[in-house]
Amino acid sequence: MSAPRGVWVWMEQEGGTLHPVGLELLGKGRSIADTLDEPLVALLMGSDVAKHAESLVERGADDVLVAQDEHLGTYLTDPYVKVLGDMAEARHPNVLLFGSTPNGRDLAGRLAIRLRTGLTANAVRLDVDRATGLVLGGVPGFGGSVVALIKCERARPQMATVRGGIFRPLAPDPSRRGRGRIERVNVSVGPAQLTCRILERSVVATEDISGVERVLVAGLGTGGDLRLVEEVATLLNAAIGVTRPLVDAGVAPREKQVGSTGIALRGKAALVLGVSGASHFTSGLKDVGTVVAVNTDPKAEIFEHADVCIVGDLSEVLAALRDELKARQEVTA
Amino acid sequence: MSLDIAVCVKVVPKPEEVTFNKETKTLDRGKAENVLNPPDKNALEAALQLKAEHGGTVSVVSMGPPFAKGFLELCIGMGADAGLLASDRLFAGADTYPTSLVLARAVQALPRFDVVLCGEESADAATGQVPQGIAGWLDVPQVTCVDEVRVHGRTLVARRVLGHATERVAVPLPALVALGAGANVPRFPDFRRVDEAAAAGRVRVVSAADLKLREEEIGLKGSYTLVGGLVEGEATERKRQLVEGDARAKAKAILAAILGPK
């Protein structure tokens, strides 16, 4: 067996459109590959994805492996595990990266068992240990107050799922055009991988609030009643995020969850309402420009993580905020 | 046709009660209250609803220290029929790879199974990788990110909620399903039933040897990932300015801060 070599990035796609996290990982993968002096390989899987191959070279890939087949159009565990597992077993990559998306996690978790290797889950940083050449995946423990550096010494590939919004994609470099090696891979999907079927599917427009300029974040202190929060958010042209307990209670969908197991905000300002400030939440505020917190408890941990601290009754402060915003609108009108 | 269902559960410390000691760089779980991992309760509720519709059995399966037995009895109090706890010092230090192996072997130690239900991630480690691992070891189809599950004959139909899309997936039994937190409202346990379960010994405790697992496949030795170090998270310095005054003054201060200078 040849020595494991190559930094591989799985390019997730939906309806032939690439998921941004794949491009982010290609950007980070470029610097890892340079440090290791190994090729950066982009993995395109789908029914209509070959068209993206050249653009991935422009964005940093040395090689692009294209597995194009009608059975790979929409993600399903079995055919994807089969095709990617076959590629990895035949070619022995050193590193294999996925976005920490629902399907990225579904695929990576299953594939790690087939490939008998270690998987670092939901990393927020990736570094190469220069002494050993091992990839260190940084995983926030208890919400970012501590980051555990996870490594995989005795098996290959070194697998990781990585959170979106952490790394930046490289700008396309037209001078790289034509310099990559694009290879069509034979896809062998048979009846054994086709026992599961998608009966129906609807693509929903979702709002990614991670990069929105201003976000109001509601916690348990709101009692789960977001009417006033929504009113103020509309007046401010701000998006709404929530803490995990409100998602668990069904008040808001999962993609609105801020914190270490949800999304990290990186906008200009966050107004945090009725949140106690446990560290697994506050890690999601690290990259926000200005944080304003409102809480009834003057000793709340959240005030350690805020620029402006307001001790007071939430509905009173929100009502005053609404009135002030309405008054300003009337003046402008 | 009746269904035999295994539900994998984990006992976790309440995350908000775990503290990090910055000097020793260790986590202090000592003061934290232990609870059933929240989405695992949703998985159990879904199992109990399937059993009510189709008949059959619900077994709860866990890997953990001996005190986890009480939590499996609590699950029986909610309506499960039996519990199986894999408990052995040799399991300590396991990452997701040997953890999923142990849970798969525990499921296989049940008389039979048609469906395996899991919560999609634990509140403490939060890797969200164990259900897929269990499905891998069992070599059965997996459906993750599920908020609704039905069974028709020998076909399981689950709704996946992916953020950008919702889909309904059909898979043949036996199969594994990972449910998200909040997928349903878990019922309360009947405490008389909990006591009966304890008295009747309805939770079986098994060791690594009972599951025919070798020392090198489990625990720290069977793990492929290692913690290479802990670093403090990069905290952002905040100004922490306290605003005094009435609600109107506070509202103005908020707007000044989040709208920036005009």
Side-chain angles (χ1 to χ4, degrees):
Chain A
M1 184 178 118
S2 58
R5 194 173 149 75
V7 177
W8 286 21
V9 178
W10 182 63
M11 309 302 300
E12 184 169 358
Q13 55 89 20
E14 166 76 42
T17 304
L18 296 178
H19 192 291
V21 73
L23 299 174
E24 293 165 20
L25 290 179
L26 208 56
K28 180 63 184 177
R30 182 68 265 165
S31 72
I32 295 173
D34 287 341
T35 307
L36 296 173
D37 193 22
E38 292 185 17
L40 176 64
V41 181
L43 307 170
L44 270 176
M45 299 171 70
S47 56
D48 178 28
V49 287
K51 61 189 180 190
H52 294 298
E54 198 57 65
S55 76
L56 298 180
V57 173
E58 290 184 30
R59 286 177 181 272
D62 297 308
D63 299 347
V64 183
L65 296 179
V66 184
Q68 185 155 301
D69 187 273
E70 53 168 338
H71 296 305
L72 300 176
T74 302
Y75 176 83
L76 262 176
T77 311
D78 292 348
Y80 268 71
V81 169
K82 170 76 163 63
V83 171
L84 187 43
D86 287 352
M87 279 197 268
E89 282 174 358
R91 297 163 191 255
H92 315 295
N94 183 17
V95 179
L96 178 50
L97 304 175
F98 301 82
S100 193
T101 60
N103 285 338
R105 286 157 40 126
D106 185 273
L107 174 58
R110 184 71 179 249
L111 198 60
I113 302 300
R114 170 168 166 181
L115 298 178
R116 298 186 177 265
T117 190
L119 168 61
T120 299
N122 309 323
V124 295
R125 49 189 273 185
L126 289 172
D127 301 293
V128 176
D129 177 25
R130 284 176 189 267
T132 58
L134 290 172
V135 172
L136 302 176
V139 175
F142 294 85
S145 56
V146 53
V147 175
L149 302 179
I150 310 287
K151 59 185 177 179
C152 171
E153 283 179 342
R154 62 185 181 94
R156 294 290 181 277
Q158 304 169 75
M159 288 177 62
T161 61
V162 183
R163 294 236 325 257
I166 305 275
F167 300 112
R168 301 268 165 239
L170 297 175
D173 175 359
S175 76
R176 288 182 59 86
R177 180 169 280 272
R179 285 170 50 199
R181 200 177 56 85
I182 295 167
E183 181 186 338
R184 285 281 194 134
V185 177
N186 281 328
V187 175
S188 59
V189 173
Q193 287 83 44
L194 298 172
T195 60
C196 306
R197 288 172 301 135
I198 294 173
L199 303 178
E200 55 174 303
R201 191 164 205 277
S202 56
V203 177
V204 284
T206 54
E207 187 191 9
D208 176 10
I209 62 167
S210 60
V212 173
E213 252 185 37
R214 284 185 285 274
V215 180
L216 270 54
V217 187
L220 269 183
T222 61
D225 180 356
L226 301 189
R227 280 174 299 185
L228 203 45
V229 178
E230 279 163 3
E231 206 178 333
V232 172
T234 307
L235 289 164
L236 273 170
N237 195 22
I240 293 180
V242 293
T243 57
R244 181 164 184 162
L246 291 195
V247 174
D248 289 353
V251 171
R254 183 62 52 92
E255 66 263 21
K256 304 271 189 195
Q257 182 191 319
V258 176
S260 59
T261 57
I263 53 164
L265 299 178
R266 48 172 200 274
K268 279 189 183 158
L271 174 56
V272 182
L273 304 159
V275 176
S276 60
S279 59
H280 49 270
F281 167 75
T282 54
S283 69
L285 300 179
K286 211 177 56 158
D287 297 326
V288 175
T290 301
V291 175
V292 182
V294 185
N295 202 298
T296 47
D297 177 6
K299 294 201 188 73
E301 177 67 22
I302 190 67
F303 291 132
E304 299 295 313
H305 303 274
D307 297 293
V308 178
C309 309
I310 313 267
V311 180
D313 179 81
L314 205 55
S315 40
E316 243 173 59
V317 173
L318 279 171
L321 206 48
R322 175 196 55 198
D323 297 344
E324 181 66 26
L325 281 163
K326 280 191 172 166
R328 288 190 188 186
Q329 277 189 343
E330 276 159 26
V331 172
T332 324
Chain B
M1 173 151 186
S2 73
L3 291 173
D4 291 314
I5 305 169
V7 182
C8 298
V9 301
K10 183 182 186 184
V11 178
V12 297
K14 272 193 172 174
E16 59 270 32
E17 293 180 6
V18 176
T19 50
F20 179 64
N21 184 324
K22 282 183 180 165
E23 270 88 63
T24 60
K25 292 197 172 176
T26 52
L27 296 170
D28 183 5
R29 295 184 167 91
K31 292 187 203 86
E33 184 194 345
N34 288 306
V35 291
L36 270 178
N37 184 44
D40 300 356
K41 288 202 267 187
N42 296 111
L44 177 54
E45 177 60 36
L48 295 171
Q49 290 178 15
L50 285 173
K51 182 189 161 183
E53 188 183 341
H54 299 274
T57 62
V58 173
S59 304
V60 281
V61 171
S62 189
M63 179 181 90
F67 73 79
K69 187 165 174 272
F71 288 88
L72 295 190
E73 286 157 359
L74 200 67
C75 294
I76 294 174
M78 286 171 69
D81 299 286
L84 181 67
L85 173 64
S87 191
D88 198 315
R89 281 172 187 278
L90 294 174
F91 295 147
D95 72 0
T96 54
Y97 190 92
T99 299
S100 57
L101 172 62
V102 170
L103 288 168
R105 292 291 177 266
V107 168
Q108 287 170 323
L110 299 172
R112 66 184 292 272
F113 70 93
D114 300 297
V115 181
V116 182
L117 286 169
C118 302
E120 71 183 1
E121 69 179 32
S122 61
D124 55 350
T127 66
Q129 300 297 350
V130 170
Q132 298 91 307
I134 298 170
W137 290 111
L138 295 174
D139 194 21
V140 299
Q142 70 190 38
V143 196
T144 57
C145 308
V146 169
D147 78 340
E148 189 186 286
V149 55
R150 306 293 301 268
V151 172
H152 310 282
R154 295 298 291 169
T155 302
L156 180 148
V157 177
R159 186 169 71 182
R160 300 186 74 207
V161 180
L162 303 175
H164 68 284
T166 301
E167 59 192 25
R168 206 171 282 280
V169 182
V171 304
L173 296 181
L176 176 141
V177 171
L179 260 92
N184 49 39
V185 181
R187 65 196 67 185
F188 285 103
D190 170 348
F191 285 96
R192 211 176 38 205
R193 218 181 126 88
V194 176
D195 294 340
E196 282 167 12
R202 284 163 75 189
V203 176
R204 186 156 66 101
V205 181
V206 294
S207 67
D210 294 332
L211 296 174
K212 298 192 170 53
L213 288 162
R214 287 172 289 120
E215 205 175 324
E216 62 273 20
E217 334 176 73
I218 53 179
L220 195 59
K221 283 188 182 171
S223 298
Y224 284 109
T225 59
L226 296 166
V227 177
L230 287 175
V231 291
E232 215 165 303
E234 296 146 46
T236 310
E237 254 329 287
R238 296 291 177 188
K239 298 193 188 95
R240 294 186 294 180
Q241 287 169 348
L242 184 67
V243 176
E244 311 272 6
D246 61 7
R248 183 145 182 258
K250 287 169 179 169
K252 287 189 168 187
I254 292 173
L255 292 179
I258 66 177
L259 296 176
K262 286 264 165 80

